[in-house]
Amino acid sequence: MLAALVALLAVPAAAGAALPLHPCGGAVECGRLAVPLDRSGQVPGTVSLAVQDRPASRRPRRGLTFLLAGGPGQSNISAFADPRDRYASWGSLTPHNDIVVFDQRGTGRSDLLRCRDLENASPLDGGIEAEACSIVLGSPRAFYRTYDTVEDMEAVRAALGAPKVTIVGVSYGTYVAQLYAMFHPDRVQKLVLDSVVEAGGEDPLYGSTFTATRRVLAGLCARGCAGFTRDPVADTHRLVARLGEGPLRGPLVGRDGRATRRTLTRPGLFLTFGSGDFDPLLRAAFPAAVVSALRGDLAPILRLQHRSVDTETIGSAREFSTAVYAATLCEEVSFPWPRTAPLDERPADALAAASLIDPALLNPFDAATAFENDLLRLCRRWPTAPTPPPAPPGGPPDVPVLLLEGGQDTRTPVESGERVAAAFPRARLFVAPRSGHSVVGSDLTGCAEDVQARFLQGRRLPARCPRGPQLFPPAPPAPTSLRQVPPVRGVGGIRGRALRGVELTLLDAAEQFVETFLTDPESLLDSFVVRVPGLRGGTFSINLLEPKPTLRLHRLEFVPGVRVSGVLRDFGERGQRAVLHLSGRGTPDGTLRMRKGVVHGRLGGRRVRGRILIGLLESAGGARAGGSRAASLGRLLDLTRTRVRRLGAPALR
């Protein structure tokens, strides 16, 4: 083993290869570097790495700043490239360094690996598709490990002739950065680690995630959950126990406005909550959705589960290679079965390992959830990978390190960041309490971004990040009948309840629009049309190419029996106005006109006039949703406008 490692380390990273560059837009230069597929030389072949370099803006040039995205499998170039910025903002943070972004082997423009069946597999269980992918890839699948990427980085550094590197890594990129620092400690200037994966790699049983889940879930309701629960951890535990008796089935409305039956399982519930570290609206909705499920209403939690699957699906194959994701993890993770274990013995080994975990550490989930997790399922049928990746020759080096963690991140939780910070001699950990995964850009206080800039520029760091506002307070459970909805002020009886039903429908539509756009705006580039189903039925849409944002509702149903159709113009503006038609069993039919929150018209043949919360900006007294929820939506809509402008759409400007 030692002789093999020495032989590996003795092979020149890129055999002295040069990296010719040519202008490719703005100040950026592009090139390609051929590196060995197998640095031991036993398997022939090369990989062509796509590299982008923005030269240092100041002299003397002191090194490179590498930008590393997540995954494994995400294209660094797709993640960091901005046609208008061309890495200029990064260049201002390290002006004496080139800014270098290259696609990891097998991703993006670096000889992309694709397994189309795996790309379409469920995030919950891609085992069969991963096994087929391993056959397609053949023996080269062993050379897409993190160690190979580390040595590719060193090859790029050497080819560009830079003495030192600063590395900014996000999520999986933090793992690459740490391994590079341990394999090449004399080459490192600084490390920025945003959402930290521990240097030991992925835990196949998600131990730190289970631990963080209790803390994050309890924290969501630390200041109360609108009177519907005192203990979301206990609620989730009860739902997990019920799912242990068998999956639960309920309705999920599709983009055609019709409901189909879907299934909720323990792994699905675990994935749903875990995906909330990318999605503040999902986090806020989770406690109430669990309560609804315990009461027999599966629609809210199934909608969140569907949203979580979308959240875990990262763009096109060019943006994220699922083949590299599987090859990296299945080849290098230390699974709870021996590396040479036959396929049919692996489930028993995994179940035994999960059963040994203290139930208190898994709460509110259980050993079966750990055993059935997505990573074990992905790799359970991957062919034997008998050779582990090389171990670093030394520990973390004595270099300046900044670690950034989101307090509500369960994927790479604060606890992991604390352990990594303790391992480096010179490390500072900053926690953005209200943020989830990938802190810079998601921390609305701006602290994480400011701390990163100060660290890279060598300026003094603050003591800590402020707590900041809770982006979204937990929403109450969705009503299951019009009788549960309080009437608006000044309009009694069923008509007042119907007006409140309209208010809740518009509020839910606003939330779903903002969530859809903020979590995946690039998905709208082709059509610029957001089309979203209602919780109980119907749809709404908004065309971002229109000069004024306009919601078109078709039998949109949030409160059972209250179906809202019509057009809402100037969506999100104080002057937004609408003509809405109400229908549905048990609901007084009629037509309403709305402007600046004042609604008037006829319902069931009688005139009505009242004031409602307009989805985003105004709050009626006694509105169940509450003004703070509307204010949070307003803040998120501001972010949405910014992202729409960046995409070039005229709506919501």
Side-chain angles (χ1 to χ4, degrees):
M1 176 71 72
L2 180 59
L5 175 58
V6 171
L8 266 174
L9 296 177
V11 175
L19 178 48
L21 298 171
H22 61 272
C24 58
V28 176
E29 299 176 326
C30 296
R32 305 197 72 87
L33 180 67
V35 295
L37 173 67
D38 172 15
R39 285 186 165 81
S40 73
Q42 297 180 20
V43 177
T46 61
V47 178
S48 177
L49 301 178
V51 181
Q52 295 191 354
D53 182 324
R54 181 184 177 93
S57 58
R58 295 183 188 172
R59 293 292 182 264
R61 177 196 191 223
R62 293 171 182 161
L64 310 177
T65 297
F66 278 112
L67 306 181
L68 303 176
Q74 188 172 13
S75 159
N76 292 324
I77 292 175
S78 294
F80 288 103
D82 185 328
R84 289 167 301 281
D85 182 76
R86 302 300 289 173
Y87 312 123
S89 57
W90 290 102
S92 67
L93 298 179
T94 55
H96 291 280
N97 282 9
D98 290 12
I99 306 302
V100 177
V101 184
F102 78 99
D103 278 339
Q104 174 188 342
R105 58 172 58 199
T107 72
R109 305 172 192 178
S110 295
D111 292 352
L112 176 65
L113 292 188
R114 295 197 65 179
C115 292
R116 297 180 187 276
D117 288 344
L118 185 58
E119 291 168 11
N120 297 318
S122 167
L124 288 169
D125 187 359
I128 298 298
E129 293 83 358
E131 180 184 27
C133 181
S134 71
I135 296 171
V136 171
L137 298 181
S139 59
R141 63 179 175 264
F143 305 111
Y144 291 86
R145 303 161 299 177
T146 305
Y147 169 78
D148 298 297
T149 294
V150 163
E151 293 310 303
D152 290 346
M153 287 177 63
E154 176 60 8
V156 172
R157 181 207 63 78
L160 291 174
K164 296 278 188 178
V165 301
T166 289
I167 307 175
V168 178
V170 181
S171 193
Y172 170 73
T174 69
Y175 180 51
V176 179
Q178 291 173 76
L179 287 194
Y180 182 93
M182 287 187 275
F183 275 106
H184 303 283
D186 58 327
R187 298 298 186 186
V188 178
Q189 293 172 322
K190 294 181 178 181
L191 299 178
V192 176
L193 309 177
D194 179 345
S195 304
V196 186
V197 176
E198 295 185 59
E202 289 283 348
D203 174 3
L205 293 171
Y206 292 149
S208 60
T209 294
F210 281 113
T211 300
T213 293
R214 293 191 302 280
R215 170 179 55 78
V216 173
L217 186 52
L220 291 175
C221 293
R223 296 189 178 182
C225 273
F228 64 85
T229 183
R230 294 182 177 179
D231 191 345
V233 176
D235 293 341
T236 305
H237 184 69
R238 285 194 291 272
L239 182 56
V240 169
R242 190 171 298 179
L243 290 168
E245 301 170 2
L248 297 176
R249 290 180 61 78
L252 175 70
V253 179
R255 292 191 177 185
D256 60 356
R258 299 178 180 178
T260 57
R261 303 287 288 179
R262 295 297 176 91
T263 300
L264 179 70
T265 63
R266 285 174 294 193
L269 187 66
F270 180 59
L271 177 74
T272 298
F273 182 72
S275 297
D277 56 24
F278 273 126
D279 184 345
L281 285 145
L282 192 158
R283 290 199 299 272
F286 187 84
V290 168
V291 170
S292 292
L294 290 171
R295 295 173 179 173
D297 180 14
L298 273 294
I301 195 68
L302 287 173
R303 180 165 74 169
L304 293 187
Q305 179 179 253
H306 181 73
R307 185 190 301 173
S308 73
V309 170
D310 286 345
T311 298
E312 298 299 322
T313 304
I314 308 177
S316 66
R318 186 70 68 181
E319 295 169 310
F320 187 90
S321 169
T322 55
V324 168
Y325 178 81
T328 303
L329 295 179
C330 297
E331 288 285 333
E332 72 180 23
V333 169
S334 296
F335 289 100
W337 53 73
R339 284 187 167 271
T340 57
L343 301 187
D344 59 354
E345 295 180 6
R346 295 178 180 182
D349 291 337
L351 181 59
S355 301
L356 292 176
I357 303 174
D358 183 347
L361 298 178
L362 295 169
N363 183 44
F365 294 94
D366 56 13
T369 308
F371 165 66
E372 295 169 350
N373 80 61
D374 60 300
L375 182 54
L376 291 182
R377 287 175 173 267
L378 178 73
C379 297
R380 64 186 174 182
R381 301 189 60 81
W382 193 264
T384 297
T387 304
D398 186 5
V399 297
V401 182
L402 173 67
L403 301 96
L404 301 169
E405 290 286 0
Q408 296 183 343
D409 183 1
T410 59
R411 191 176 311 247
T412 55
V414 172
E415 292 82 354
S416 294
E418 291 172 341
R419 287 188 288 270
V420 172
F424 280 93
R426 287 188 285 161
R428 288 285 306 274
L429 171 64
F430 285 81
V431 178
R434 301 292 194 188
S435 296
H437 193 65
S438 189
V439 183
V440 175
S442 67
D443 172 25
L444 291 189
T445 69
C447 177
E449 188 170 0
D450 177 63
V451 168
Q452 176 178 260
R454 287 173 176 270
F455 176 78
L456 290 173
Q457 293 172 339
R459 294 187 287 141
R460 184 177 178 180
L461 302 182
R464 66 183 64 85
C465 281
R467 188 165 184 80
Q470 183 163 343
L471 185 61
F472 249 84
T480 55
S481 73
L482 189 56
R483 292 191 303 273
Q484 297 176 359
V485 178
V488 301
R489 180 180 298 178
V491 183
I494 192 171
R495 292 171 180 80
R497 296 180 188 277
L499 289 182
R500 182 72 75 205
V502 172
E503 172 188 276
L504 294 176
T505 300
L506 295 179
L507 177 63
D508 184 67
E511 288 184 354
Q512 298 310 306
F513 163 73
V514 171
E515 187 279 332
T516 298
F517 201 86
L518 286 181
T519 54
D520 189 18
E522 285 76 17
S523 67
L524 306 174
L525 282 172
D526 291 336
S527 64
F528 285 99
V529 174
V530 181
R531 187 178 303 279
V532 182
L535 178 66
R536 312 290 182 186
T539 62
F540 74 86
S541 64
I542 179 170
N543 187 336
L544 300 176
L545 291 178
E546 293 180 334
K548 289 287 188 178
T550 301
L551 283 184
R552 289 176 170 80
L553 299 84
H554 178 68
R555 298 171 65 86
L556 190 66
E557 188 172 2
F558 178 75
V559 179
V562 180
R563 295 172 181 164
V564 185
S565 300
V567 177
L568 191 160
R569 302 185 186 280
D570 297 329
F571 171 57
E573 306 291 340
R574 290 192 178 276
Q576 58 186 333
R577 61 199 189 281
V579 177
L580 304 172
H581 307 284
L582 266 64
S583 62
R585 181 179 300 177
T587 299
D589 295 353
T591 298
L592 300 171
R593 297 183 182 276
M594 182 185 76
R595 187 177 180 87
K596 295 185 177 181
V598 177
V599 180
H600 63 90
R602 287 182 176 273
L603 291 179
R606 292 178 54 182
R607 291 186 177 277
V608 294
R609 185 181 180 87
R611 188 172 182 81
I612 66 173
L613 174 76
I614 317 180
L616 297 171
L617 298 174
E618 298 179 1
S619 175
R624 177 177 242 185
S628 62
R629 192 172 172 204
S632 295
L633 267 171
R635 288 193 295 271
L636 280 181
L637 186 63
D638 287 340
L639 293 177
T640 304
R641 287 190 179 99
T642 299
R643 301 189 85 167
V644 172
R645 284 195 296 269
R646 289 177 178 172
L647 289 175
L652 294 184
R653 289 190 174 183

